[in-house]
Amino acid sequence: MNDAMDFLLWARGTAFDVALTIFIIGVIIRLFEILSLGRPRSLAEPKGNQLLPGMKSVISRTLPDNGTFKRQPLTVIAGYLFHIGLLISLLLFIPHIELFNATVGFGWPGLPNPIVDAATVIAITGLLAALWNRLTNPVMKLLSDKEDYLVWLLTFLPLLTGYLAYHRMIEPYPLALGLHILSIELLLILFPFTKLMHTFTLFLARWYNGAMSGFRGVQS
Amino acid sequence: MNEATLERGLNAFREQVDAPVAAFFSSCVSCGLCAEACLFYTETGDPKYTPIRKLEPLRRVWEQEYTLIGRVKKVLGLVEPVTDELLQEWQELLYDSCTMCARCSLVCPVGNDIAYMVRKAREGMVASGNSPTDVQAAAERAVRIGSPMGVRYKALAAQIQHIEADTGLVIPVDQVGADYMPLLSSMEVINFPEYIESLARIFQHAGLSWTLCSDAFEATNTGIQIGSSDIARELVQRIVDGAERLQVKYVIAPECGHAYTSIRWDGPDLIGRRFPFKVLHILELLDELRVSGRLKTEKPSAERITFHDPCSIGRKGGVIDSPRRLLGLVSSNFVEMKDHGTWNWCCGGGGGVSANTDAEALRTRVFRRKKDQIEETGASKLITACANCRLVIEEGLEAYNVELPMEGLTELVAHHLVED
């Protein structure tokens, strides 16, 4: 029991600080790497605004177009299940909010545990469906490299360990919680250096696409 | 041009990496949805045609030289370099099977503008000597003769003479101080001189002063298609020089998709300054004339017609509503294709594909998408606004044994003008 407790203390102490530092510095470096490359200003006479179409694309790309949805429903549905389930279990689980509150000094209302529990199951299901899709869909199979499977695992482990810890399926509890925190640290450390960065960069990508189209008078 | 080498290719790729490219590659999670927007994938089912995959050479350069972790991996020998073999293999993917139609750029959930990157990747392909020989030859003709099809002013002068003799219309050439200077594509000079006649009819009808320019009539820009900014710049410069010599107020892009991209959007950036004239697509001009009441047309006809949006003019150029308003002016029975406007499917011959014999069999195969789309409408005539789309569709329909007359929208409008 003491070993497990020591492990938990280390995981939520030093290890967490190190992981969080790497995450924050890494994300800043990556965003700087991208933004510092810049984008030449076009000398052509604009046919439309860039700002509003850019912002609109940031939002509108969250929904799939009808044709794509009909052709690849599994990719779209698995994506939604996973992302929505993840956001609920990450941001609306009361212990997560309390941790945030204790660290930063503010919080927000959470959802009752059974709902978060269901969201976690949905997220795990979505991730498993996405993995199955990646392994069987010929396009995804060809596109996927080691990194795609690595980021899948990095995302899956916190959900799995969180679920196991909440349901007391690993004993003793400090070990379960320690493993959950450790899996998140692994995610945080590798986040800036992998495709997990899309969490941030997709807003840039969508904005650039929408803005460049808006300039030409097209809404993308 | 400099001799093409892998090193020059790599340098060209490097020069193309900008913030949007880095944001796009950072965001791709290999979801594969772009494949579903690409007719080269939907019509063949071959995953190698997945749009984002076509960018692997550019992606490697970005990762290995513009990301911290990529540089570390490179030092440790953990990355696959860009080699001549890779670029040779990718020529088919970046040229034969991509028209830069940008439909993929419209569906990507993280917002990647894939066509933007294909255009950039082609710069590296040209510089490393991995572009299709046919398109290279067309580019060489464009620089040397002034037209990718080898059409000299002599040929245009002969067409002008014919048209003037047949119709009694006047086609002014090199008139300093005219307001409008329309450009043409070689295809219009050779295959569709009706376009030139229609221009003359419309300008006369609307009472506008206009002129062709004998040393800047060619609007097509093989540099844009093959991916060579050096060639593209030279061809744009000729037009700018011609327009400045004649002191025109407007340069009018013809019914040609990439010509609009080249002169309207890329032109000022290529030559590094703003134009002293405005650039309009012919359909934009016609729509302005409609609004100002300078187009007097006969009663709309009842023939069932449909419209093919050229990608560079519609999805990439924002000329989507003007053709519809013009169609409404001349037709009471215009039907849209199922996916139209921004969502239109490419004819399969844009971005230099129609000039590339390596791509011929594949182009005919993937044309099925367009053929089905056209047939669904039940239209008895197809209207479009790009001479290249028109030739590609004519050839495609012939290959599938479908008979359907086609007409350019400018011509259609000209036919409906009330005779003075």
Side-chain angles (χ1 to χ4, degrees):
Chain A
M1 185 65 196
N2 268 344
D3 284 353
M5 205 58 210
D6 288 344
F7 168 62
L8 175 60
L9 287 173
W10 171 78
R12 61 193 290 179
T14 319
F16 192 77
D17 292 344
V18 170
L20 194 63
T21 309
I22 293 177
F23 170 78
I24 292 171
I25 294 177
V27 167
I28 292 171
I29 289 176
R30 281 300 305 278
L31 291 177
F32 178 77
E33 258 172 15
I34 296 169
L35 293 169
S36 63
L37 286 166
R39 178 169 72 111
R41 212 188 151 109
S42 177
L43 295 169
E45 190 192 336
K47 211 188 268 187
N49 179 294
Q50 297 201 56
L51 187 65
L52 292 175
M55 309 243 275
K56 202 175 154 206
S57 287
V58 169
I59 295 161
S60 67
R61 290 293 170 115
T62 308
L63 294 171
D65 66 279
N66 198 22
T68 305
F69 178 68
K70 276 193 194 140
R71 289 184 57 91
Q72 280 307 333
L74 181 58
T75 308
V76 177
I77 292 169
Y80 274 120
L81 289 181
F82 157 64
H83 282 103
I84 292 171
L86 175 75
L87 287 175
I88 293 174
S89 38
L90 173 68
L91 299 175
L92 299 175
F93 184 46
I94 291 164
H96 289 169
I97 302 169
E98 281 171 359
L99 172 72
F100 191 89
N101 202 349
T103 322
V104 185
F106 68 93
W108 53 88
L111 284 177
N113 286 350
I115 296 180
V116 175
D117 191 33
T120 311
V121 172
I122 287 172
I124 289 174
T125 311
L127 263 189
L128 289 171
L131 180 65
W132 186 78
N133 200 15
R134 201 172 277 291
L135 290 166
T136 55
N137 174 315
V139 169
M140 291 183 83
K141 209 167 120 181
L142 183 68
L143 284 183
S144 303
D145 59 10
K146 282 184 219 128
E147 194 185 319
D148 290 292
Y149 295 102
L150 173 68
V151 299
W152 183 90
L153 188 68
L154 290 174
T155 322
F156 185 72
L157 287 178
L159 283 163
L160 181 71
T161 54
Y163 183 82
L164 294 177
Y166 175 73
H167 288 279
R168 303 291 191 274
M169 289 161 91
I170 298 176
E171 291 295 345
Y173 180 70
L175 175 66
L177 192 56
L179 286 174
H180 179 55
I181 295 171
L182 192 65
S183 70
I184 290 156
E185 287 157 2
L186 201 60
L187 174 88
L188 288 175
I189 290 169
L190 290 170
F191 189 109
F193 311 109
T194 56
K195 294 179 173 190
L196 292 167
M197 267 305 283
H198 80 276
T199 313
F200 297 112
T201 59
L202 73 84
F203 296 101
L204 290 175
R206 288 177 180 180
W207 190 82
Y208 283 133
N209 189 327
M212 292 191 288
S213 300
F215 185 82
R216 299 191 304 261
V218 199
Q219 178 61 51
S220 83
Chain B
M1 262 201 303
N2 293 324
E3 199 199 334
T5 60
L6 178 62
E7 199 42 50
R8 281 188 205 285
L10 291 173
N11 272 332
F13 281 124
R14 286 180 195 117
E15 278 172 22
Q16 295 302 319
V17 177
D18 58 9
V21 168
F24 296 154
F25 282 134
S26 300
S27 301
C28 178
V29 291
S30 311
C31 76
L33 289 180
C34 50
E36 307 302 335
C38 176
L39 78 171
F40 289 92
Y41 171 73
T42 62
E43 302 314 292
T44 64
D46 191 334
K48 74 174 177 178
Y49 295 129
T50 303
I52 193 72
R53 188 172 173 272
K54 296 171 183 170
L55 294 160
E56 182 61 15
L58 182 62
R59 195 199 65 78
R60 285 190 193 175
V61 170
W62 161 77
E63 189 194 9
Q64 295 168 19
E65 304 192 22
Y66 295 89
T67 70
L68 182 65
I69 195 78
R71 283 192 291 256
V72 172
K73 280 195 206 162
K74 194 179 175 187
V75 170
L76 299 175
L78 295 172
V79 290
E80 289 178 275
V82 175
T83 60
D84 270 319
E85 292 70 42
L86 178 85
L87 297 182
Q88 272 163 28
E89 191 187 338
W90 249 256
Q91 184 179 314
E92 186 214 355
L93 302 177
L94 278 165
Y95 288 99
D96 304 8
S97 61
C98 179
T99 62
M100 300 195 284
C101 83
R103 211 171 177 277
C104 52
S105 302
L106 209 55
V107 307
C108 175
V110 297
N112 291 350
D113 189 343
I114 298 169
Y116 173 80
M117 295 198 282
V118 169
R119 166 67 186 84
K120 284 173 161 285
R122 286 186 179 186
E123 293 276 340
M125 299 301 277
V126 170
S128 64
N130 289 289
S131 56
T133 42
D134 291 336
V135 194
Q136 276 173 32
E140 193 267 328
R141 281 192 298 273
V143 172
R144 188 168 45 87
I145 301 174
S147 139
M149 290 167 72
V151 177
R152 294 174 198 272
Y153 178 67
K154 245 180 9 197
L156 174 59
Q159 291 286 22
I160 291 174
Q161 222 174 11
H162 276 295
I163 296 167
E164 289 186 329
D166 286 355
T167 61
L169 292 160
V170 182
I171 300 178
V173 179
D174 294 335
Q175 302 253 318
V176 177
D179 288 339
Y180 295 89
M181 179 179 118
L183 303 171
L184 306 167
S185 71
S186 291
M187 279 184 193
E188 283 158 342
V189 179
I190 300 301
N191 304 75
F192 308 115
E194 312 80 286
Y195 177 74
I196 307 170
E197 179 183 331
S198 303
L199 280 181
R201 213 170 276 289
I202 291 162
F203 280 118
Q204 190 190 57
H205 177 92
L208 305 177
S209 83
W210 69 295
T211 181
L212 291 176
C213 180
S214 61
D215 49 20
F217 62 88
E218 177 64 73
T220 63
N221 191 320
T222 329
I224 297 283
Q225 296 180 317
I226 199 169
S228 163
S229 290
D230 293 337
I231 295 175
R233 182 177 306 114
E234 184 167 340
L235 300 178
V236 166
Q237 188 65 56
R238 285 181 194 173
I239 296 172
V240 175
D241 291 344
E244 287 181 336
R245 181 168 66 81
L246 300 182
Q247 299 159 31
V248 297
K249 294 193 184 85
Y250 295 90
V251 166
I252 307 299
E255 293 200 345
C256 169
H258 83 274
Y260 184 63
T261 299
S262 117
I263 194 72
R264 176 68 178 86
W265 303 116
D266 295 2
D269 295 327
L270 284 164
I271 66 162
R273 64 179 169 96
R274 289 176 210 279
F275 293 161
F277 48 82
K278 275 185 81 133
V279 178
L280 288 177
H281 188 263
I282 180 67
L283 297 184
E284 291 175 301
L285 173 63
L286 290 178
D287 196 36
E288 282 185 8
L289 296 177
R290 179 193 65 84
V291 172
S292 60
R294 295 181 100 149
L295 288 184
K296 292 178 189 61
T297 48
E298 295 162 349
K299 207 169 116 249
S301 35
E303 186 183 12
R304 193 178 178 85
I305 58 171
T306 188
F307 182 68
H308 164 75
D309 288 273
C311 307
S312 291
I313 293 171
R315 175 163 48 242
K316 294 171 78 177
V319 184
I320 293 172
D321 298 333
S322 2
R324 266 112 197 133
R325 289 191 288 260
L326 293 165
L327 285 158
L329 194 66
V330 297
S331 171
S332 58
N333 198 3
F334 162 63
V335 279
E336 290 280 17
M337 294 185 203
K338 221 195 236 158
D339 290 319
H340 60 265
T342 321
W343 287 99
N344 186 43
W345 288 90
C346 180
C347 67
V353 172
S354 66
N356 175 0
T357 39
D358 297 345
E360 224 166 75
L362 183 61
R363 164 161 74 86
T364 308
R365 187 172 171 199
V366 304
F367 179 75
R368 177 177 289 275
R369 166 68 52 163
K370 190 79 244 173
K371 181 204 73 120
D372 291 347
Q373 229 197 333
I374 297 168
E375 282 186 326
E376 270 174 12
T377 64
S380 59
K381 192 188 231 176
L382 175 64
I383 310 300
T384 190
C386 168
N388 185 55
C389 293
R390 188 167 164 186
L391 270 185
V392 168
I393 294 174
E394 276 178 4
E395 283 176 25
L397 290 174
E398 200 182 312
Y400 285 91
N401 297 311
V402 179
E403 266 190 51
L404 188 74
M406 290 186 68
E407 196 171 6
L409 183 48
T410 306
E411 235 179 287
L412 182 70
V413 170
H415 281 158
H416 277 79
L417 294 178
V418 176
E419 298 278 346
D420 296 320

